[in-house]
Amino acid sequence: MHSTPPAHATHTASHDREIESLAEFDEVLAAQGTLARFRVQAVDLTARTDALLSVDVTGAVFLGCAMTDAAATRVAGAGALVFPPIPDLPFDPYRGFVYTPDELFEGLAEGYEGTPDALSYAWFQRTKADGDVFASMLRAVHDDAVSDALDELLFGDRVVGVMGGHAMARGSEAYAGAARLGRELARAGFTVATGGGPGAMEAANLGAYAAPHADGMLDQALRLLAKTPRFVPSITDWARAAFEVRERWPDGGPSVGIPTWFYGHEPPNAFAAHIAKYFANATREDGLLARCTAGVVFLPGAAGTVQEIFDNATPNYYESRGEPTPMVLVDREHWTERLPTWPLLRSLARERSMEARIALVDRIEEAPAALKRLGS
């Protein structure tokens, strides 16, 4: 499987030696006449044999690039390092871009079980405990490629994370509130990032998707989605409802979802335009929070959300990523009584610079103002 580049994809100075599409390959050859020391990532080069037989490839690296046998033999002999495509995998470990919903849910019309997302989870389930170093290497290479793509995607963005539980049902007031939060953050110029799954995560991504549309669109979408409130018992029906919303209101706003196949029973949601999906949950968790440079809003959740609060608090406490970033916890009763996380967070922050960067609010509608206040 080879991904197609998003229309907005750009390179930063730190990635200007990477070639991630056929169009970019042609541009580099036309402009520079050499591939020396470039990294060509997951590009189908079977139609570029003539160029590969003649161009300078000294020190180049080809990662998962399909090419003819003659081209592969020549570039390897001319000083390039070639990592060939891996056959019979439901994912591309060398991919140059994050996923799209259409890519992960390809084939949904015939049922979720046959989609690349479901097949990748099935592969992970088969290989995660078999001790095969090759399989573990493929997972690591894939996750590193996704991280690289995510860095390129988010370069220069003001990213706000919205964290919350997967159990939040469509049709609930809490879900609608999370969607309105995502919409307000997107309209304020932030890039909304979530854990990429169902519940509160889907709601925030939905809100960002709704941001360019008139206000009434979100209300109609919420009513449509409420007919399929949860991803159980049928992920297929749950996902189809989301794609129905996307088809009815195309050209939604972008946002990011960062899910994991470690929790493969939770499907990704279709409202995040860009999906950085990982095999290693630890890599995913740390990467998600580290990229929320403009702060994080924590909606009511359970163990996973509690973990995220303290995963975020730790670098703020030690200032290991620089100045602490804002943390806003929503629902006083939840975070002081049901899961009394706030008292511990406040105690950790006392007399440290992060003390001025944490807040607890009662209602979700208060979160954007709190985030702005903490970030000023």
Side-chain angles (χ1 to χ4, degrees):
M1 297 174 60
H2 290 278
S3 60
T4 54
H8 71 282
T10 58
H11 281 286
T12 66
S14 61
H15 293 88
D16 61 2
R17 305 297 297 180
E18 295 180 9
I19 296 174
E20 297 164 330
S21 70
L22 195 59
E24 196 174 6
F25 180 89
D26 292 339
E27 289 170 7
V28 167
L29 278 189
Q32 303 194 31
T34 180
L35 294 175
R37 290 173 294 282
F38 275 87
R39 280 76 175 104
V40 190
Q41 191 172 351
V43 181
D44 188 339
L45 298 174
T46 52
R48 296 296 184 270
T49 298
D50 289 346
L52 293 173
L53 290 177
S54 59
V55 72
D56 182 8
V57 293
T58 305
V61 179
F62 293 84
L63 296 164
C65 296
M67 60 182 78
T68 63
D69 290 343
T73 299
R74 189 267 162 179
V75 298
L81 187 61
V82 179
F83 292 80
I86 309 298
D88 303 321
L89 281 180
F91 63 93
D92 183 353
Y94 306 111
R95 60 182 304 109
F97 302 96
V98 297
Y99 294 94
T100 67
D102 291 322
E103 183 180 2
L104 286 175
F105 285 103
E106 183 182 0
L108 181 66
E110 285 74 47
Y112 171 75
E113 294 74 16
T115 65
D117 185 65
L119 294 174
S120 296
Y121 176 55
W123 177 87
F124 179 45
Q125 288 293 95
R126 291 195 304 271
T127 62
K128 67 180 181 180
D130 64 6
D132 184 354
V133 67
F134 183 56
S136 62
M137 183 196 74
L138 291 176
R139 294 194 294 271
V141 169
H142 169 274
D143 286 1
D144 187 68
V146 167
S147 289
D148 180 72
L150 189 59
D151 285 339
E152 293 185 65
L153 176 73
L154 296 178
F155 180 78
D157 285 10
R158 294 187 302 154
V159 182
V160 171
V162 179
M163 311 298 161
H166 69 269
M168 185 183 288
R170 294 168 173 174
S172 66
E173 180 51 40
Y175 184 96
R180 289 191 292 269
L181 171 65
R183 183 176 64 182
E184 183 168 350
L185 292 172
R187 287 178 173 175
F190 294 108
T191 296
V192 174
T194 78
M201 297 170 280
E202 181 189 56
N205 288 129
L206 167 63
Y209 184 89
H213 294 277
D215 288 356
M217 171 266 173
L218 182 56
D219 295 331
Q220 295 178 63
L222 289 169
R223 286 194 293 271
L224 192 154
L225 292 170
K227 298 175 183 177
T228 315
R230 302 182 186 279
F231 66 92
V232 290
S234 174
I235 294 176
T236 301
D237 292 344
W238 176 85
R240 283 175 178 167
F243 278 99
E244 183 179 345
V245 169
R246 288 176 27 141
E247 290 163 10
R248 188 172 297 188
W249 294 281
D251 303 319
S255 65
V256 177
I258 306 180
T260 173
W261 280 295
F262 183 81
Y263 297 133
H265 61 286
E266 295 181 15
N269 78 74
F271 293 113
H274 312 290
I275 302 175
K277 191 154 191 180
Y278 289 86
F279 288 106
N281 187 50
T283 304
R284 169 252 190 173
E285 287 279 8
D286 185 68
L288 168 58
L289 294 165
R291 290 175 174 88
C292 294
T293 52
V296 183
V297 178
F298 296 93
L299 303 179
T305 310
V306 171
Q307 177 184 344
E308 288 163 344
I309 288 172
F310 290 105
D311 280 347
N312 195 55
T314 300
N316 281 346
Y317 180 89
Y318 290 112
E319 299 186 40
S320 55
R321 294 183 185 138
E323 188 176 338
T325 52
M327 300 177 65
V328 179
L329 278 61
V330 176
D331 192 330
R332 186 176 304 273
E333 181 183 3
H334 185 85
W335 295 121
T336 61
E337 297 182 22
R338 292 194 196 97
L339 295 173
T341 304
W342 173 252
L344 177 54
L345 181 63
R346 188 174 56 182
S347 296
L348 279 173
R350 186 172 296 123
E351 297 181 358
R352 304 186 74 88
S353 57
M354 70 177 286
E355 187 172 19
R357 295 298 179 93
I358 64 171
L360 175 65
V361 298
D362 290 308
R363 298 179 301 110
I364 200 167
E365 292 79 10
E366 301 173 71
L371 195 67
K372 182 178 180 179
R373 182 178 71 254
L374 297 179
S376 60

